[in-house]
Amino acid sequence: MLISVFFSGCVDSDKAEASSLNDSEVAGEDLSSGKSGNLRAVMIFGPDESLDPAYKWVGWYVREAGIYETLFAYDSDMNLKPELAEGYERLNDTAWQIDLRPGVRFHDGTPLNAEAVVYSINRALDPENVRHTEYDFIESVSAPEDLKVLIRTKEPYAPTIASLSDPLLSIVSPKAEDLTHKPVGTGPFKFESYEDGLRLSVLRNEAYWRGDVKLESVTIDYVSDPLTRSFKLQADDCDLVRGVPATESGLISKSPDLEVPSKETLRLCFMYVNTNKAPLGDVSVRQALNYAIDRDQVVSAALEGAGGPAKGVFPSTLPWSANEKLESYDYSPEKAKEMLSEAGISDTDGDGWLEYGGKPFELSIRTYEKRAELKPTAEVIASQFEKIGIKTEVIVLETGALSADTSDGNYDLSLYAWNVAPAGDPDYFLSYHFESTGVQAAWTGYSDSEVDEWIKEARESTSPEERQEYYDLVQARVLADSPEIFVFYYKELDGINTRVKGYEIYPNDISFITKDIYIEE
C-alpha cells in the first residue's frame, strides 16, 4: 500500500495510510518525564444545554477539551492525518474504505470498532439532526469488517475524507447511556463534571492509546467578555486564555510570567451584504464600499497589527486553495465616490452627506461582541464610510439576534468572523456562502449559475490541480460580485503563563487541549 501524507484536504491517491504517532507513543512509552499539573484554561465559547458532539456545534467544544477524536484530523500545520483511522482506500468514484486503528478503547473500556464508527456517523446523518444536510452527500455507512468502515456517497465527492475531521463526526462510545450529560470518547481526557454554560472539567485518560497524557486535569471556564478573560490571566486566576484582545496583548507581554503566543488562522472577518436591498443590489455600489475600506488601517487600529488585510476568502494558511492571483481592492475613497455617483448616489445638496433617491444614503453595520475585534472593526469601517459621506451606524447584538436579523434580511451589512475551512477543504465555505442553494447565500441573496457549476465540478473532481482551477474561478467571481466584503484574516492571540509548556495553536480552531501540554512547577 502506498504511504502518503495528507495535505489540507487534498486526496492525492486512491490508497493512503499514514501514522500521526511516534513509535514511542504507539508503544506506550512514558513521555511525561515526570511533568504533570492541573491546567486552568479560559475560552470564549462553550456548550450550553448539551455535551453531545452531534448536537449543533457542541463537537467543537468537547473536542477542544480533549474528550473526543475523529477518524482524521489536522495537525498544527494544517496537514490532514489519520487519527482514529490508520488510512483509507478509494474503491471507486463513490466508495471509500476506512481502515481503523486497532487497540483503541473508549473511556468506558468499550473497544473502538467499525460498528462504533457507523453508529457515530449515523447520528449526524439522522434527519432529526439540525446539521444533517451538511452530510447529505453520504449514501450509506457500513461495517464490512470489525476494523473497516465503508462509506458510499451519492455522487463523487472529493472532500469526503477531509469532512471526517469535523467534530460533529466525533466517534462516541455506543455503550454510553447519556451523551448529553456524560460524554464518552477516546481522547486524552475523560469527562469529570460540567456547570451549565460556565465550566467543563476533565481528567487524564490513563489508558490513552497514544501514550501518556502529561496533565492530570483541566478546568475550562467559558467567559464571553474579552477584557474579563485577560484580567483573569493577569490576576493568575488561570494559566491559559484563548482570544486575548489585541489592545491588551502589549500589557500582558510586559509581565515576566506571561506571554502572548500568536499564529495565523483560517478565520476570516467579513461582512454579509444584503443584495436584496436597494441600492446594495447594484454590484458597483458593493465594489465602491470595498474601495472605501482602508484594510491596513482596520488591522492597525482594531487589531493593533495582529492580522492581515484580506483580498479573498482564503488566507495563505490554506495554501492549496488560496487564489494568490487575486487583485485586492486598494483603498481609494475617490474611486468609491466616483462609482457611487455613477450609481445615482451623490451629495446633491452640498451638506457633505450622500443621497440616494432623494433621501440620505445611510447604512448600518451589525455585529456581535464576543470576538473582541469585531466592534472596533465595525467602528473603524463606519468612520471610513463617513469620510466619503455615508452616514453609518454600528449596532452590536447578541449572536442569536444578529443571526436572526441577517437570515431574515433585516440588515444592510453584518460583520462576522468565520473559520473558512474547519475541515481543511474549500468546499465548506464556498458552497455555503456562494452556491445558490447555500444557507448563507440565502442571507445575501447571491446567485450565479456559473459559480454553482464551478463549485459542483470542483466537488466532484479527484484532481487537486483541477479543483484549484475551479476554486480560483469562484474566488475571482465572488470578489468581483462582492455579496460579501472581506476585511481581514485573523491572527489568534492567546494569553499564557510561562509555566505552561507544550501548548500549540491550531489554525482551524478544532484542537486546543492536547496530551503534550503540562505545567512546569
Side-chain angles (χ1 to χ4, degrees), residues 229-510:
R229 292 196 301 273
S230 297
F231 293 156
K232 285 177 73 70
L233 180 70
Q234 295 172 66
D236 201 25
D237 290 336
C238 63
D239 308 300
L240 172 61
V241 171
R242 173 169 263 180
V244 168
T247 53
E248 295 296 304
S249 62
L251 180 62
I252 292 173
S253 297
K254 289 180 180 179
S255 170
D257 298 324
L258 303 176
E259 58 187 11
V260 182
S262 65
K263 190 171 186 176
E264 293 181 356
T265 71
L266 295 176
R267 194 165 293 279
L268 168 73
C269 176
F270 68 98
M271 291 190 291
Y272 292 101
V273 184
N274 189 350
T275 69
N276 292 316
K277 187 174 184 179
L280 298 175
D282 186 336
V283 65
S284 62
V285 173
R286 301 195 297 272
Q287 291 176 344
L289 295 180
N290 265 301
Y291 284 115
I293 298 174
D294 184 344
R295 290 163 174 79
D296 288 324
Q297 184 187 45
V298 171
V299 169
S300 175
L303 305 180
E304 297 200 356
K311 63 178 180 179
V313 174
F314 301 112
S316 57
T317 317
L318 194 70
W320 84 272
S321 57
N323 185 349
E324 300 294 350
K325 300 176 183 177
L326 293 176
E327 294 186 11
S328 59
Y329 288 95
D330 295 329
Y331 175 54
S332 177
E334 296 79 12
K335 187 166 187 175
K337 292 180 70 172
E338 178 184 341
M339 295 183 72
L340 290 173
S341 179
E342 292 173 355
I345 303 172
S346 59
D347 179 10
T348 57
D349 59 10
D351 66 352
W353 297 105
L354 302 180
E355 291 88 37
Y356 172 71
K359 298 180 180 180
F361 179 46
E362 300 177 346
L363 292 175
S364 65
I365 302 175
R366 284 169 160 77
T367 192
Y368 56 101
E369 203 164 16
K370 283 188 176 180
R371 292 199 176 275
E373 301 84 357
L374 292 181
K375 182 183 177 183
T377 294
E379 291 170 344
V380 173
I381 294 174
S383 69
Q384 292 173 352
F385 284 173
E386 294 201 335
K387 285 181 180 179
I388 64 169
I390 303 173
K391 289 186 177 180
T392 309
E393 178 185 17
V394 173
I395 301 173
V396 180
L397 302 169
E398 293 294 323
T399 52
L402 177 62
S403 294
D405 275 359
T406 310
S407 62
D408 290 343
N410 180 30
Y411 78 104
D412 300 325
L413 305 168
S414 283
L415 184 71
Y416 272 79
W418 270 60
N419 183 327
V420 294
D425 193 280
D427 179 75
Y428 167 81
F429 192 90
L430 297 183
S431 62
Y432 265 74
H433 288 249
F434 307 116
E435 196 170 22
S436 298
T437 56
V439 174
Q440 270 63 47
W443 288 14
T444 61
Y446 184 66
S447 179
D448 184 300
S449 59
E450 279 193 309
V451 169
D452 290 348
E453 184 61 25
W454 293 335
I455 292 175
K456 180 178 182 294
E457 292 291 341
R459 187 184 296 136
E460 295 181 356
S461 174
T462 58
S463 165
E465 293 78 17
E466 186 173 61
R467 296 188 74 203
Q468 179 74 66
E469 290 176 5
Y470 284 121
Y471 290 138
D472 283 353
L473 292 171
V474 173
Q475 291 172 76
R477 179 64 58 84
V478 299
L479 183 63
D481 290 347
S482 297
E484 295 176 5
I485 294 176
F486 313 126
V487 184
F488 63 79
Y489 305 122
Y490 267 80
K491 177 178 284 189
E492 180 165 340
L493 300 175
D494 294 342
I496 188 170
N497 194 293
T498 54
R499 61 176 171 257
V500 177
K501 307 298 181 181
Y503 174 66
E504 287 191 276
I505 296 175
Y506 286 71
N508 63 352
D509 290 347
I510 291 176

Side-chain angles (χ1 to χ4, degrees), residues 82-257:
E83 191 166 61
L84 294 178
E86 275 195 324
Y88 74 87
E89 181 178 353
R90 188 170 192 175
L91 304 179
N92 56 50
D93 284 349
T94 58
W96 306 76
Q97 178 180 288
I98 313 297
D99 299 319
L100 301 182
R101 195 176 295 278
V104 178
R105 289 186 176 271
F106 292 96
H107 300 151
D108 61 4
T110 303
L112 171 74
N113 57 24
E115 292 293 347
V117 173
V118 171
Y119 170 73
S120 299
I121 296 178
N122 278 335
R123 297 174 73 244
L125 301 182
D126 188 331
E128 296 298 315
N129 191 309
V130 296
R131 292 183 59 194
H132 78 275
T133 57
E134 297 178 36
Y135 294 88
D136 278 351
F137 64 88
I138 295 179
E139 178 71 38
S140 64
V141 186
S142 60
E145 296 182 29
D146 189 53
L147 292 177
K148 292 186 184 295
V149 176
L150 180 63
I151 297 178
R152 295 190 182 277
T153 60
K154 296 175 182 177
E155 55 188 14
Y157 189 77
T160 297
I161 297 300
S163 72
L164 300 177
S165 68
D166 189 328
L168 178 71
L169 302 183
S170 294
I171 308 305
V172 305
S173 171
K175 298 291 181 64
E177 297 180 355
D178 184 8
L179 290 170
T180 297
H181 301 99
K182 296 181 180 180
V184 182
T186 60
F189 293 92
K190 301 188 295 184
F191 173 75
E192 180 185 29
S193 64
Y194 178 64
E195 296 176 45
D196 192 13
L198 298 175
R199 174 175 291 178
L200 176 62
S201 298
V202 295
L203 298 172
R204 174 195 289 158
N205 176 7
E206 300 286 358
Y208 186 44
W209 61 274
R210 290 185 63 181
D212 287 354
V213 178
K214 296 179 180 179
L215 287 170
E216 296 172 34
S217 68
V218 181
T219 299
I220 301 174
D221 288 337
Y222 300 102
V223 178
S224 60
D225 181 69
L227 287 177
T228 302
R229 292 196 301 273
S230 297
F231 293 156
K232 285 177 73 70
L233 180 70
Q234 295 172 66
D236 201 25
D237 290 336
C238 63
D239 308 300
L240 172 61
V241 171
R242 173 169 263 180
V244 168
T247 53
E248 295 296 304
S249 62
L251 180 62
I252 292 173
S253 297
K254 289 180 180 179
S255 170
D257 298 324

